[in-house]
Every structure is written in C-alpha cells, then in structure tokens.
Amino acid sequence: MSSVPKVSQWDVHRLPHAEGKSVLVTGGNAGIGYFVAEQLAGAGATVVLGSRSASKAEAAIASIGSRIHGAKVQHVPLDLADLASLEASVDALGLDRLDAVVYNAGVALDHPPRRETKAGHELMFATNHLGHFALTHYLAPLLAATPGSRIITTGSFAAKSERLNHLADTTTAALLWEASCDVTGTDLTFTPPARFDGAEPDG
C-alpha cells in the first residue's frame, strides 16, 4: 500500500474552508488582488488588504461585504515604494498569526522619463520587487510562528523574457517594457514554490 497521502482535487469553485486563517493580499483593492481577496473571504479567511489608498481599500471592502455575508476583511496602509514605512505597516496588522501573504501589488510604467522613489530606486523595481522583498523580512517572524504558512507571488508570462539587464536604463518605452519583464522575473526567483516553514506544499 502506498504511503503517499492523497491530495484532494483542487476546485476553484469550491475552495477549502479557511476559517481561522489570516491572509495578507498586497494590492488587494483592485484587479487580481481583489478577486483573490474576495475568494478567500468567501472561504472564511480573515483577509487584510495592503493598499496605499484607504478610500480604494474601503470601496473594495464594501464590495466584498455586499457579496459575501459576514466577510472578515480589513485594510492596512501599505506603500511598497517606501521601504522605511514597511515595518510600521506590519506592526499595524495586529495579527497573532499569518497563514499566507499574496504578493500581487505592482506598478507598470508605460512612458519615460525614469521615475525614482525617495530612496533613489527606480520606481517599478522598488515597488514590485524591493518592497515585497523587504516586506518578507518584516513578516518573517509572524509567518514562521504560523504552521504551514505560505508566500504566494503572482506573476505573468513577461517573466519568460527577463534577462536582468534592463533595470538601470528605463529611458524609452521599449526599455521600460524590458525592465518590467526583468522585475517580474526577480519577483518569482525569491519566493520558491514551498511553504515558509520549508515543508513541501500539501495541495
């Protein structure tokens, strides 16, 4: 008899129960992040929307609440481009456990000139990659204290084009696209497909 445990078939229309679990979704007020948050709330999880805009986050919370009775959704101010602010954002979570964080937030710059953060980093690279990388550092104690916690990074097919050599020059629209591909690739390299505690995913 095989000792390999059976894994239940994943069904996007019938998510596993998530009562008692807490999940942070960066950029959870719109797009893919919003629908991730809505689905998790529907499964019973406590969902925290990490967003720069309080008004957009509140609108998303109201929308989710109108569709899911008893949804447990809240907002924490989160500006990934401002690395110095991230520790305070994590402190503001007010959670005693964090079962997962979904790295979804990002900016896509279509037109030059180059834009930089207050710290002098290229804005797209700082927001999409450096911010999430630094956020992991501050979330690490909370994730490590939660059995089976996970980090999930959303990406795109743009990562297949990354060569990590366009980040310094974003002076043209074409180079901005190349840099976007590079940033997507860096995001997917620092979060391997495993649970934060080092165990293999179980489903």
Side-chain angles (χ1 to χ4, degrees):
M1 180 180 294
S2 173
S3 61
V4 178
K6 291 184 177 181
V7 177
S8 59
Q9 185 69 33
W10 176 262
D11 184 349
V12 70
H13 300 293
R14 300 181 64 183
L15 299 183
H17 294 297
E19 289 85 356
K21 296 184 181 296
S22 299
V23 182
L24 168 65
V25 182
T26 69
N29 57 276
I32 292 174
Y34 170 86
F35 288 103
V36 168
E38 183 181 84
Q39 292 295 306
L40 289 168
T46 295
V47 182
V48 182
L49 307 182
S51 171
R52 288 177 300 171
S53 171
S55 61
K56 291 180 180 180
E58 291 302 324
I61 291 171
S63 177
I64 293 172
S66 70
R67 297 169 61 87
I68 300 171
H69 177 71
K72 299 183 287 293
V73 188
Q74 59 197 60
H75 168 240
V76 66
L78 182 67
D79 184 356
L80 291 164
D82 184 3
L83 301 183
S85 71
L86 298 181
E87 185 174 12
S89 293
V90 172
D91 290 342
L93 285 173
L95 300 174
D96 57 6
R97 64 179 293 132
L98 185 63
D99 295 272
V101 54
V102 180
Y103 289 155
N104 164 79
V107 297
L109 304 180
D110 298 323
H111 303 288
R114 175 188 174 95
R115 295 171 61 187
E116 296 184 349
T117 66
K118 292 183 292 185
H121 303 296
E122 193 279 321
L123 180 61
M124 188 161 49
F125 182 58
T127 303
N128 300 11
H129 175 65
L130 292 180
H132 283 130
F133 188 86
L135 184 60
T136 302
H137 168 74
Y138 295 116
L139 289 174
L142 194 55
L143 289 164
T146 307
S149 60
R150 299 168 185 253
I151 297 174
I152 300 98
T153 300
T154 61
S156 73
F157 286 113
K160 293 181 177 294
S161 302
E162 61 88 7
R163 294 190 299 275
L164 303 184
N165 59 354
H166 298 98
L167 296 175
D169 188 354
T170 55
T171 54
T172 69
L175 287 172
L176 273 171
W177 165 250
E178 296 288 354
S180 175
C181 296
D182 290 355
V183 170
T184 302
T186 58
D187 288 344
L188 298 179
T189 57
F190 90 91
T191 51
R195 297 193 311 209
F196 190 80
D197 59 10
E200 291 300 318
D202 56 7

